[in-house]
Amino acid sequence: MFTGIVTEVGKVVAVRRETDRLAFRIEMGYKDLIEGESIAVGGACLTVVSCGEDWFEVEAIVTTRSRTWFGDLEVGDEVNLERSIQLGDRMGGHFVQGHVDAVGEVCNTKTEADALLLDVKVPDEIDELTIPHGSVSIDGVSLTVNETPAPNVLLVALIPYTLEHTTLGNLKTGDKVHLEGD
């Protein structure tokens, strides 16, 4: 379980594609990761298969690849990271399982005052779960749905802190995002 509060932005430093296998190495600042630990990468719960002082590796199996944008990852890409919650941790955001339900697409961005408004086209399975002022996880970030301006479109407002501390501030029209409905 996760909270959707990103605690680190990692950088993809290696991608290994084999016939039916996808693995990637991510540089990050966590100092005490261990093999077998669950970690949310872009909102998808993955298992640390190996790690060092400032990096870890994960693999995306066929079912994970079928519902994520991991197949498009390239060296240099940045990803949102969150370690799983522990009993006794503060609970910010909302409960996020790390089970990416679908991939959405940014269909519009607009700056309004101090916020970035992000319209995301979502598939039916997310649309049917989405209500104004409900929660959604986009690339692992816990967000409030401000409105649903059209069928299969949700709008979220990103505050400056989120823009500075996650990858969401880099999104542009046409970009793919991981979605977890609430």
Side-chain angles (χ1 to χ4, degrees):
M1 294 292 290
F2 305 91
T3 64
I5 304 298
V6 170
T7 55
E8 179 92 25
V9 173
K11 184 175 185 176
V12 177
V13 293
V15 178
R16 197 171 63 251
R17 290 178 174 86
E18 298 170 6
T19 307
D20 284 328
R21 205 166 191 172
L22 171 64
F24 41 98
R25 179 178 284 202
I26 298 171
E27 278 185 349
M28 51 75 215
Y30 301 132
K31 297 298 180 197
D32 58 346
L33 282 181
I34 59 171
E35 289 182 14
E37 182 174 338
S38 293
I39 189 164
V41 177
C45 179
L46 299 174
T47 301
V48 174
V49 296
S50 63
C51 55
E53 186 175 323
D54 63 352
W55 61 271
F56 67 93
E57 287 189 4
V58 290
E59 296 178 340
I61 62 172
V62 65
T63 54
T64 302
R65 291 191 313 270
S66 73
R67 61 179 56 189
T68 66
W69 42 249
F70 288 148
D72 298 331
L73 270 178
E74 296 179 9
V75 171
D77 287 347
E78 292 185 328
V79 291
N80 293 324
L81 302 174
E82 181 187 357
R83 296 175 81 173
S84 60
I85 58 176
Q86 298 179 34
L87 287 175
D89 283 352
R90 279 185 195 263
M91 185 61 204
H94 72 280
F95 284 116
V96 176
Q97 295 180 31
H99 301 166
V100 173
D101 295 315
V103 173
E105 182 177 328
V106 176
C107 54
N108 191 39
T109 63
K110 176 183 168 188
T111 301
E112 188 173 291
D114 60 347
L116 176 65
L117 304 181
L118 192 69
D119 286 330
V120 179
K121 184 173 173 50
V122 301
D124 290 339
E125 59 264 37
I126 299 296
D127 190 56
E128 65 189 26
L129 299 173
T130 303
I131 59 169
H133 309 288
S135 297
V136 66
S137 172
I138 297 179
D139 281 351
V141 180
S142 172
L143 297 167
T144 300
V145 176
N146 280 23
E147 61 181 274
T148 52
N152 294 89
V153 176
L154 62 82
L155 179 138
V156 294
L158 305 176
I159 65 172
Y161 186 89
T162 301
L163 297 173
E164 293 170 22
H165 292 89
T166 73
T167 61
L168 299 187
N170 301 327
L171 291 173
K172 56 191 178 312
T173 300
D175 283 347
K176 304 282 190 235
V177 292
H178 290 158
L179 300 168
E180 182 178 325
D182 188 33

